[in-house]
């Protein structure tokens, strides 16, 4: 069995007990990774990370930028191997896995660029700019200490790198806990970081059972910033039990696509199908409900169904759109949502087709969904798409905003006059006009409201969230 050691304080270590990583495409055990299952050991990891930070923070900016670039280059030169690990570990299509690795390398390089801009342009207050008399106040950006990063399975490299890169370039040390389905790539990244030359303790891959130790991790005294991507239940608990740390939480969504009466329906259908079904809907920004008026309903549904019926379904190595779901529980959960909807009068537009041995759920559009159905509100993280018919725009907006989530939204229309007015009525972080929702390009701020999150990501905002300021005021 492939038993992989993880990097803690500059050493590759093993543990008595292991966590099991399965291949979702065949349910076979892929690897065993360390299960760090000891409170004192966990506390010590943070203490060592803090000690490492005390030295690393004084390294030169140029050295940190060069280290991050070296780390990025190593990821780039190992991209096929990394993509293969992603494909096996989380059943993402090989080509999409490769794109994810490349996007991560770009993210690192862009982080270097934006960090240098921030550092070279400290905020200055003086007479000429703000009328501040007899003082020149300069505010510098500094690291905060130990950053704790907790990442999900669905972007196992990209959502780790988007936390590690800003933390490292700014002079923080990092303890990160990858999702167990994602731990192989997490450890591989640690190996490459070690090879790049990060000093012991600056980067630590803490593989552990988060259900048991989650509270201990996030409340550790040395943790000064926490960046978490995962579910709202866990994220909301983190917000409750932490204090005086920088908190960035990305917690999922139920992104609506609102199709207005004057929309280009072909464009809307293309974007909706792409947004709802890529990576089998296992994206927090996937379109997870469609609102269409009775005027356009039949035509839009026909277009969506035509496209959904053509989606390719299969194993990740063949690069289909619909790939295996992350595990059998997710398959069951999606089927429960489908059955609940059908029992309350919804119409399944495709037959229910499941291949349990590969965790493959075939895509399904569910028509005539109403607010009594769980699928109208819950996040499936699977390839199922509810269609909700509205009579008046106000009714659609009310249902959209009644969701506990507010990550992103899409509005389809051919009339851009006053579109901002409508967009601003939608309670979500970002509203995409005539496009499906998505986090990228990564330079854009990315955030959710309500149960979708707290704090802001995106290249610049992530750096801001992992740094603090120090002012030097020269009195004249
Ligand atoms: O799953 C959550 C991700 O942040 C979504 O990223 O919009 O690039 O797919 P994406």
């Amino acid at each position: 069995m492939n038993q992989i050691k993880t990097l803690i304080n500059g050493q590759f270590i093993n543990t008595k007990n292991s966590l099991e990583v399965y291949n979702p495409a065949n349910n076979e055990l892929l690897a065993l990774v360390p299960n760090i299952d000891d409170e004192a050991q966990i506390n010590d990891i943070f203490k060592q990370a803090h000690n490492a930070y005390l030295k690393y923070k004084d390294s030169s900016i140029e050295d940190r930028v060069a280290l991050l670039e070296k780390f990025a280059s190593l990821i780039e030169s190992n991209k096929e191997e990394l993509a293969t690990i992603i494909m096996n570990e989380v059943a993402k299509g090989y080509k999409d896995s490769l794109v994810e690795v490349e996007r991560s390398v770009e993210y690192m390089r862009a982080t270097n660029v934006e960090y240098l801009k921030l550092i070279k342009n400290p905020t200055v207050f003086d007479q000429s700019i703000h009328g501040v008399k007899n003082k020149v106040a300069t505010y510098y950006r500094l690291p905060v200490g130990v950053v704790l990063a907790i990442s999900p399975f669905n972007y196992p490299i990209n959502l780790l790198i988007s936390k590690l890169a800003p933390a490292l370039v700014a002079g923080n040390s990092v303890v990160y806990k990858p999702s167990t389905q994602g731990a192989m790539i997490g450890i591989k990244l640690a190996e490459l970081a070690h090879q790049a030359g990060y000093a012991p303790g600056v980067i630590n891959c803490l593989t552990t059972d988060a259900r048991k130790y989650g509270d201990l991790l996030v409340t550790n005294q040395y943790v000064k910033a926490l960046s978490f991507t995962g579910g709202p239940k866990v994220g909301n608990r983190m917000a409750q039990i932490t204090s005086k740390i920088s908190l960035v939480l990305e917690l999922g969504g139920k992104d609506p696509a609102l199709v207005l009466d004057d929309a280009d329906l072909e464009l809307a259908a293309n974007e909706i199908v792409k947004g709802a079904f890529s990576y089998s809907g296992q994206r927090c920004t996937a379109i997870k409900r469609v609102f269409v008026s009775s005027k356009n309903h039949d035509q839009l549904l026909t277009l969506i169904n035509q496209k959904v019926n053509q989606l390719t379904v299969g194993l990740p190595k063949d690069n289909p759109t619909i790939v295996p779901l992350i595990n059998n529980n997710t398959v069951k959960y999606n089927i429960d949502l489908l059955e609940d909807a059908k029992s309350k009068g919804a119409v399944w537009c495709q037959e229910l087709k499941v291949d349990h041995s590969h965790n493959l759920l075939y895509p399904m559009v569910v028509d005539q969904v109403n607010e009594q159905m769980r699928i109208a509100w819950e996040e499936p993280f699977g390839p199922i798409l509810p269609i909700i018919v509205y009579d008046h725009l106000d009714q659609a907006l009310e249902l959209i905003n009644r969701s506990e989530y507010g990550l992103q939204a899409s509005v389809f229309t051919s009339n851009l006059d006053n579109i901002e007015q409508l967009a601003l009525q939608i309670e979500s972080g970002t509203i995409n006009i005539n496009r499906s929702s998505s986090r990228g390009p990564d330079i854009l701020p990315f955030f959710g409201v309500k149960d979708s999150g707290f704090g802001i990501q995106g290249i610049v905002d992530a750096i801001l969230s992992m740094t603090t300021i120090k002012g030097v005021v020269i009195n004249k």
Side-chain angles (χ1 to χ4, degrees), residues 8 19 24 64 81 135 167 188 252-253 264 284 318 328 397 402-403 424 426-427 455 476:
I8 298 291
L19 297 165
R64 293 203 299 271
E81 184 192 344
K135 286 179 194 292
K188 186 71 199 172
D264 173 340
C284 56
D318 300 321
N328 204 250
L397 288 171
R402 211 195 296 165
S403 169
L424 292 174
I426 296 178
E427 293 170 7
K476 296 193 166 167

Side-chain angles (χ1 to χ4, degrees), residues 37 93 210 320 351 406:
D37 188 12
E351 66 173 303

Side-chain angles (χ1 to χ4, degrees), residues 67 70 74 192-199:
L67 254 182
K70 195 161 175 207
L74 282 167
L192 296 176
H194 186 68
Q195 208 178 318
Y198 283 99

